[in-house]
Amino acid sequence: MRKTRLWAMTGVMVLFALFYFFRTDNGNNNLKEIRTALISKGDLRITIAATGVVTPYIEVEVKSKAGGEIVRFPFEEGDGLKKGEVAVRLDPETEKSRVNQARADLLSAEAGLEKARIMLKDAELKEKRQTSLFDDRVVSRQDLDNAVITAEKAKSDVKIAEAGLIRARETLKEAEDRLKDTEITAPLSGTILKKFAEEGQVIASTTSSVSEGTLLFTMADLGRIYIEALVDETDIGRVSPGQEVTVTVDAYPEKSFKGNVVRIAPKGRVESTITVFEVFIEVEDKDRSMLRPMMTANVEILTDLRKDVLLVPFEAVRAKGDETGIYKYVNKEPVWTPVRSGMGNGILTEIEGDAGAGEEIVISGIENSMPGPGQAKDAKKGFQLFGRGR
């Protein structure tokens, strides 16, 4: 009986030993899961990420007040123009006819004013004569009143004629401007962005100078390129003019462009329930001509730069009670080392303390490498069983 019990106890201990061995082996496998890195020393860039749109410094719409057939428009989108260069020519005959008509109307208005002034002079003479005759009791009061009324009416006719003359002069000026506008010149040196008319197309003229005119093309000065970036209100307090900016676009994924913040909008706006502020960034890179209007841009605004500091991956910094520190990896063992953590950019964190560049530290896996409470309890229990077996 005792022999049977002894064999049973021996079997239990062997099973437990095998079980504990494999658990320990699993613990050793966990050690292999530890990820480490080296403490480095360098510069830490603190940035704010945002998206925006490429926009030219100046963009204008070129319109024509004149009407007629477009007889020459040799430029295409992307072509460059110099300021004052003729871009579009219209058939001038229609506008010449309107100028001649306006000149005739002006002559008519001038003649009408001259006639009104003669009539006024005649009416004033008659009024003066009737007044003298009335004083001599030759004519009646009614005759005098009629003469006075005629003179007042003549004065009013002169004012109407003067207004008509002013209107005729303005009409002629507008007609002459439209005639000049049959040759449309570039208002600035730049590039044609979009054409809205072609040779052979007939466009209508405007009837007054306040009309918008017919849109022919848009152009922009691409010598200066800006990014209109939208920055979240939580970050806008860290943005200020003069800050360095790095710009990338999807068209050139391996190319970055340098720029600077030049202006921040004083008022925000709501985009998808989030308040954002427009930040205007001028691109100063020598290759900025590669950027085209309406490209989507990704920007990183440099808000702070920490030079020559100790850097560790941000996940390496841990809290242990009231302390902040890192685990150095010494002789394949993690060693807790308190440090002071500083600024971080989400990838690297600045530290100060008992650490140096080149030292190996634990990034992750340290929780799995340490024996847990269950493992320690099982080990103690196993030794007790071994003791009782003996």
Side-chain angles (χ1 to χ4, degrees):
M1 188 71 176
R2 289 187 62 188
K3 186 180 290 188
T4 303
R5 291 181 59 190
L6 181 60
W7 278 108
M9 290 295 294
T10 302
V12 170
M13 287 187 289
V14 170
L15 290 173
F16 181 82
L18 291 172
F19 174 74
Y20 185 70
F21 172 78
F22 284 113
R23 291 197 56 163
T24 305
D25 186 58
N26 288 338
N28 290 334
N29 288 337
N30 287 336
L31 286 174
K32 295 179 182 178
E33 296 176 4
I34 287 181
R35 292 173 52 239
T36 64
L38 298 180
I39 300 175
S40 61
K41 195 169 188 179
D43 298 341
L44 178 65
R45 296 170 60 89
I46 309 300
T47 61
I48 293 174
T51 58
V53 176
V54 178
T55 182
Y57 174 61
I58 298 176
E59 182 175 347
V60 296
E61 294 181 337
V62 180
K63 300 180 179 181
S64 172
K65 294 189 292 290
E69 180 183 353
I70 298 176
V71 294
R72 187 172 183 272
F73 193 180
F75 301 100
E76 298 296 332
E77 295 174 1
D79 290 346
L81 291 172
K82 293 182 179 180
K83 183 176 181 179
E85 182 178 1
V86 177
V88 181
R89 279 194 173 91
L90 305 179
D91 183 355
E93 294 306 316
T94 300
E95 297 303 334
K96 283 182 179 179
S97 175
R98 288 176 176 153
V99 168
N100 291 334
Q101 182 178 346
R103 284 174 178 164
D105 291 341
L106 177 60
L107 291 174
S108 177
E110 290 174 342
L113 176 59
E114 186 65 25
K115 180 180 178 181
R117 285 173 176 169
I118 292 173
M119 296 298 293
L120 173 61
K121 186 175 182 180
D122 179 64
E124 288 176 340
L125 290 174
K126 287 180 179 179
E127 179 188 3
K128 185 176 181 181
R129 188 162 46 250
Q130 291 291 77
T131 300
S132 177
L133 293 174
F134 177 77
D135 291 339
D136 294 338
R137 298 179 183 274
V138 176
V139 296
S140 66
R141 165 62 68 177
Q142 182 65 44
D143 293 331
L144 177 59
D145 290 343
N146 289 339
V148 171
I149 292 172
T150 300
E152 293 297 323
K153 185 177 180 299
K155 290 180 182 179
S156 178
D157 290 341
V158 169
K159 290 181 179 179
I160 293 173
E162 289 174 343
L165 179 60
I166 293 173
R167 186 161 47 249
R169 286 172 177 168
E170 291 299 317
T171 300
L172 175 60
K173 183 176 180 300
E174 288 179 6
E176 290 174 340
D177 288 343
R178 285 197 296 269
L179 178 59
K180 292 178 182 178
D181 216 29
T182 55
E183 288 191 348
I184 296 93
T185 59
L188 52 86
S189 295
T191 304
I192 295 177
L193 300 181
K194 182 71 175 177
K195 289 179 65 175
F196 296 93
E198 298 290 345
E199 288 186 8
Q201 183 175 337
V202 178
I203 61 175
S205 65
T206 59
T207 57
S208 69
S209 60
V210 298
S211 299
E212 292 185 356
T214 301
L215 179 62
L216 300 177
F217 62 93
T218 58
M219 66 179 301
D221 177 9
L222 300 183
R224 297 179 68 181
I225 291 294
Y226 283 76
I227 307 294
E228 292 183 5
L230 300 180
V231 177
D232 191 282
E233 63 177 330
T234 58
D235 295 324
I236 197 64
R238 295 190 286 139
V239 180
S240 58
Q243 289 176 332
E244 178 185 319
V245 181
T246 301
V247 180
T248 58
V249 294
D250 293 339
Y252 314 107
E254 297 181 357
K255 169 71 177 175
S256 61
F257 304 84
K258 297 299 181 183
N260 288 286
V261 175
V262 294
R263 183 164 60 89
I264 302 169
K267 181 180 179 180
R269 71 171 191 255
V270 177
E271 293 279 342
S272 301
T273 71
I274 299 174
T275 300
V276 294
F277 286 80
E278 283 186 336
V279 176
F280 297 88
I281 300 161
E282 182 173 8
V283 181
E284 298 180 345
D285 195 277
K286 58 183 177 63
D287 295 326
R288 60 180 177 272
S289 59
M290 299 169 66
L291 300 176
R292 300 184 180 184
M294 296 309 295
M295 277 185 173
T296 300
N298 303 305
V299 303
E300 286 190 353
I301 304 171
L302 182 64
T303 59
D304 202 350
L305 177 62
R306 305 287 292 171
K307 292 189 174 182
D308 200 29
V309 295
L310 292 176
L311 301 172
V312 298
F314 81 98
E315 62 263 44
V317 180
R318 304 159 183 263
K320 189 175 181 181
D322 294 333
E323 286 185 330
T324 299
I326 58 176
Y327 280 101
K328 292 184 181 180
Y329 204 49
V330 182
N331 297 325
K332 303 298 183 181
E333 293 291 337
V335 178
W336 174 255
T337 306
V339 295
R340 294 183 300 278
S341 63
M343 302 186 71
N345 61 5
I347 299 175
L348 297 175
T349 300
E350 172 191 5
I351 62 167
E352 292 180 352
D354 183 17
E359 291 186 300
E360 190 174 14
I361 58 173
V362 176
I363 299 177
S364 65
I366 190 170
E367 294 81 2
N368 295 333
S369 70
M370 304 297 287
Q375 290 176 313
K377 183 177 179 181
D378 288 342
K380 184 177 179 182
K381 189 174 181 180
F383 287 124
Q384 290 174 348
L385 286 171
F386 269 91
R388 281 200 295 269
R390 292 178 180 173

